[in-house]
């Protein structure tokens, strides 16, 4: 998930730490997390923003660039600072200008990661302007992910926030060192949501939502009970003024109702009994993390999602954030969380 930084961090982290015991934190800050020192100080700022008495472990990631040395990654991983490394293709999304321009040129990085067992987390989209935006994920898999895994068969890889049937099939048919996360929003919306009655920036995220048959494939994958598919919210808040501009930012802020959003899908698919594995077990198992022992309770009691969330006291309407499901009635709610010591 994206927790951002500065004054917004404090309000943002609470929405996740309320129900999640730990989270993999994305490194795409304005100054990306490319060193151990940056990761340590960002982690400290996150921990200082969590309410006292709440257990929350931020798992930090390194931001891969064209020139990040394998040694820096290796040391950071061995020192327990970097949990994994994130690959953003350059200019694929928010704050990705310093991302990787040539995947084949950083092969020594992947070699080291494979050797030390460090997870590689991928934003899987090509950025070539001749590739249709809606094909970017499928083309990435064919051009880059498949060859990468052929070169590094033991590299532990998570294809994050998948959006296509092609990704579902690829991950499903690959071995146990490849997993995929699925966001709540990609389970709920298809690309029509962005154009419903006008241009709806609240539903714009990257990778962009695709056609309905892709959404249905994602729902089948998430509720399949297959361990290679697990929860990953990619919650990505942006103030309204940054969403509603001539060049609006990509990202959906789903953290406030993430679990309620997933449970809605699992219930509709008749798979409530598989929610816990998807949410709490498969991801942890993939990463070799112990399962959490604390529990939260969800009850079937409806709640109305507000149209806006105020992250800063005194925020103008342009400075508010629109949560995913704004204005919707959700059927479930978290009533009790034991995420406290
Ligand atoms: O929609 C997105 N927003 N996708 C990403 O990959 C990045 C994120 C953000 O940081 O805003």
């Amino acid at each position: 998930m994206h927790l951002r930084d500065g004054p917004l961090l404090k309000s943002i982290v609470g929405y996740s730490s309320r129900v999640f015991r730990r989270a993999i934190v994305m490194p795409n800050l304005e100054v990306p997390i490319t060193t151990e020192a940056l990761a340590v100080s960002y982690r400290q700022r996150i921990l200082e923003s969590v309410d006292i008495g709440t257990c929350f472990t931020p798992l930090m990631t390194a931001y891969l660039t064209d020139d990040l040395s394998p040694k820096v990654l290796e040391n950071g991983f061995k020192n327990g600072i970097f949990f994994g490394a994130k690959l953003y293709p350059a200019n694929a999304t928010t704050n990705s200008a310093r991302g990787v321009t040539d995947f084949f040129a950083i092969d020594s990085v992947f070699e080291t990661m494979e050797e030390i067992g460090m997870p590689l987390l991928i934003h899987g989209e090509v950025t070539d302007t001749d590739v249709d935006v809606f094909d970017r994920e499928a083309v990435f898999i064919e051009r880059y992910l498949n060859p990468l895994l052929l070169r590094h068969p033991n590299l532990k890889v998570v294809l994050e926030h998948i959006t296509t049937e092609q990704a579902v099939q690829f991950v499903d048919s690959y071995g146990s060192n490849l997993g995929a996360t699925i966001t709540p929003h990609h389970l709920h919306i298809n690309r029509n949501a962005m154009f419903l009655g006008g241009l709806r920036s609240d539903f714009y995220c990257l990778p962009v939502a695709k056609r309905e048959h892709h959404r249905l494939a994602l729902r089948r994958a998430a509720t399949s009970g297959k361990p290679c598919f697990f929860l990953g919210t990619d919650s990505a808040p942006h103030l309204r003024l940054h969403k509603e501009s001539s060049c609006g930012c990509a990202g959906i802020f789903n953290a406030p109702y993430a679990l309620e959003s997933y449970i809605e899908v699992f219930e509709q698919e008749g798979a409530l009994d598989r929610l816990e594995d998807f949410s709490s077990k498969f991801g942890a198992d993939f990463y070799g993390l112990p399962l959490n022992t604390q529990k939260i309770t969800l009850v079937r009691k409806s709640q109305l999602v507000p149209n806006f969330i105020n992250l800063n006291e005194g925020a103008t309407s342009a400075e508010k954030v629109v949560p995913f499901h704004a204005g919707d009635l959700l059927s479930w709610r978290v009533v009790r969380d034991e995420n406290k010591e």
Side-chain angles (χ1 to χ4, degrees), residues 2 4 28 88 93-94 123 161 204-207 234 236 238 250-252:
H2 300 269
R4 309 304 191 209
N28 62 331
Y88 285 108
T93 185
T94 309
H123 181 111
H161 44 56
Y204 173 55
C205 62
L206 286 169
D234 198 36
H238 289 281
I252 294 182

Side-chain angles (χ1 to χ4, degrees), residues 197-227:
L199 199 53
R200 305 280 296 266
S201 58
D202 296 330
F203 299 114
Y204 173 55
C205 62
L206 286 169
V208 76
K210 308 292 191 302
R211 284 180 185 274
E212 178 64 359
H213 72 90
H214 292 294
R215 184 182 77 97
L216 297 178
L218 295 172
R219 285 171 77 102
R220 283 193 299 275
T223 57
S224 64
K226 293 185 179 173

Side-chain angles (χ1 to χ4, degrees), residues 111-124:
E111 204 174 292
T112 300
M113 292 179 71
E114 183 180 24
E115 258 168 44
I116 62 178
M118 182 176 191
L120 173 67
L121 317 180
I122 300 186
H123 181 111

Side-chain angles (χ1 to χ4, degrees), residues 18-330:
R18 186 176 70 95
V19 287
F20 293 106
R21 171 69 180 74
R22 60 191 164 208
I24 298 177
V25 180
M26 290 298 110
N28 62 331
L29 301 184
E30 276 169 36
V31 176
I33 305 297
T34 51
T35 63
E36 265 185 71
L38 285 169
V40 168
S41 66
Y42 185 33
R43 185 173 63 185
Q44 190 54 31
R45 293 194 295 283
I46 296 170
L47 290 172
E48 283 164 6
S49 304
V50 173
D51 285 346
I52 292 169
T54 297
C55 295
F56 182 72
T57 307
L59 302 167
M60 309 309 289
T61 52
Y63 179 112
L64 294 181
T65 63
D66 284 342
D67 47 21
L68 190 71
S69 100
K71 205 69 210 153
V72 168
L73 278 185
E74 184 173 351
N75 289 342
F77 183 64
K78 290 190 171 160
N79 292 337
I81 307 299
F82 292 142
F83 180 74
K86 174 83 183 218
L87 172 71
Y88 285 108
N91 301 315
T93 185
T94 309
N95 295 335
S96 60
R98 289 196 50 207
V100 176
T101 56
D102 180 354
F103 307 115
F104 297 106
I106 61 161
D107 210 53
S108 59
V109 165
F110 301 137
E111 204 174 292
T112 300
M113 292 179 71
E114 183 180 24
E115 258 168 44
I116 62 178
M118 182 176 191
L120 173 67
L121 317 180
I122 300 186
H123 181 111
E125 290 193 287
V126 294
T127 53
D128 317 45
T129 45
D130 60 332
V131 177
D132 189 279
V133 164
F134 293 95
D135 295 332
R136 285 176 164 194
E137 183 175 280
V139 173
F140 181 89
I141 292 170
E142 195 184 300
R143 276 192 202 163
Y144 299 109
L145 183 57
N146 194 27
L148 174 72
L149 289 164
L150 286 171
R151 289 197 309 280
H152 302 286
N154 296 314
L155 184 62
K156 208 169 195 177
V157 175
V158 177
L159 189 56
E160 296 197 321
H161 44 56
I162 59 169
T163 59
T164 57
E165 203 164 14
Q166 289 93 329
V168 167
Q169 280 163 7
F170 186 79
V171 173
D172 195 12
S173 60
Y174 203 81
S176 60
N177 58 316
L178 176 65
T181 56
I182 306 181
T183 73
H185 44 280
H186 289 114
L187 293 171
H188 280 277
I189 60 167
N190 64 30
R191 62 189 192 172
N192 288 348
M194 287 181 294
F195 307 105
L196 223 122
L199 199 53
R200 305 280 296 266
S201 58
D202 296 330
F203 299 114
Y204 173 55
C205 62
L206 286 169
V208 76
K210 308 292 191 302
R211 284 180 185 274
E212 178 64 359
H213 72 90
H214 292 294
R215 184 182 77 97
L216 297 178
L218 295 172
R219 285 171 77 102
R220 283 193 299 275
T223 57
S224 64
K226 293 185 179 173
C228 55
F229 301 111
F230 42 89
L231 180 151
T233 65
D234 198 36
S235 179
H238 289 281
L239 300 183
R240 270 185 90 201
L241 77 154
H242 296 134
K243 293 288 284 176
E244 296 177 13
S245 84
S246 59
C247 188
C249 295
I252 294 182
F253 184 39
N254 60 37
Y257 302 92
L259 270 187
E260 291 92 332
S261 183
Y262 281 118
I263 195 170
E264 202 88 17
V265 172
F266 277 72
E267 183 175 46
Q268 287 160 5
E269 298 294 330
L272 278 180
D273 56 331
R274 294 182 173 166
L275 178 69
E276 188 178 10
D277 282 346
F278 175 82
S279 309
S280 312
K281 293 187 178 157
F282 292 158
D285 288 348
F286 183 89
Y287 287 113
L289 291 169
L291 296 185
N292 286 322
T293 49
Q294 291 155 311
K295 303 221 180 246
I296 52 157
T297 306
L298 282 147
V299 293
R300 206 172 190 297
K301 190 168 179 213
S302 62
Q303 60 175 326
L304 184 65
V305 176
N307 287 325
F308 302 107
I309 286 185
N310 222 348
L311 293 178
N312 267 333
E313 226 168 275
T316 63
S317 74
E319 290 159 350
K320 293 181 181 173
V321 176
V322 176
F324 185 47
H325 293 296
D328 291 350
L329 199 60
L330 292 174

